[in-house]
Amino acid sequence: MTAQAGTGRTNQKQRTRTAIVAAARELTGTGAEVTMPAIARAALVSEATAYRYFPDLPSLISEALAGVWPPPAEALAPVADSADPVERVAFACEFLLRGILARQGSVRAMIAATISRPETVTTRPGIRFGLIDHALLPLEDTLGARDPDGFAQLKRDLAVVVSAEAFFTLTDLCGLDPDEAITSAVRTAATLTEAAVRANA
């Protein structure tokens, strides 16, 4: 094989991989169900080809979502000047859940895959944790310093509420429409934060 042929083959592989990721990113943005066959069809490749580049759906979704979510400081920029952790947490919760609603097909696929194959859980983006940490920055020198265990517990409590799992519980099992579900989760997140602040005042 000539060097030119080898380079051409490498370039073709890169183009194929890029097409698969682009198709996954586009499908993810529609909120529709995300599956490997659907991504392969959109990328104009066979499902077998898609699996040659990505061993499973979570790894492909993870790469497709890379860079889609802004960093926490950028996401929370509208409340950057607020020192009120309740306001900041409420904003972070709504921001996350609105993003999940817009990408719910891929989020559902990721959750389903990591439940059935726990070893793939590291491919799930931990968006909520960065948002929660950033939202609670005003408490670092107060609650965080006085009661580090309580501060850590608040973050764990919020991780349960500020989450796709909570959102889907409210929509799928409780029958709320998406806006109602977001309002409910935001209220719960704010209540947890306010209670922690009040208890340590």
Side-chain angles (χ1 to χ4, degrees), residues 131-147:
L131 289 173
I132 291 168
D133 285 347
H134 199 77
L136 293 178
L137 282 178
L139 295 179
E140 288 279 359
D141 296 330
T142 54
L143 175 60
R146 287 198 304 268
D147 184 8

Side-chain angles (χ1 to χ4, degrees), residues 6 26 33 35 38 41-42 49 52 64 67 70 84 86 92-93 106 123 126 159 161-163:
E26 184 172 349
E33 182 181 9
T35 64
R41 283 194 300 273
T49 296
R52 277 201 297 274
D84 180 0
V86 176
C93 185
S106 62
T123 61
V161 179
V162 184
S163 68

Side-chain angles (χ1 to χ4, degrees), residues 86 154 157-161 186-197:
V86 176
L154 173 59
D157 292 345
L158 288 173
V160 175
V161 179
V186 168
R187 184 187 305 116
T188 304
T191 299
L192 284 169
T193 306
E194 186 176 12
V197 171

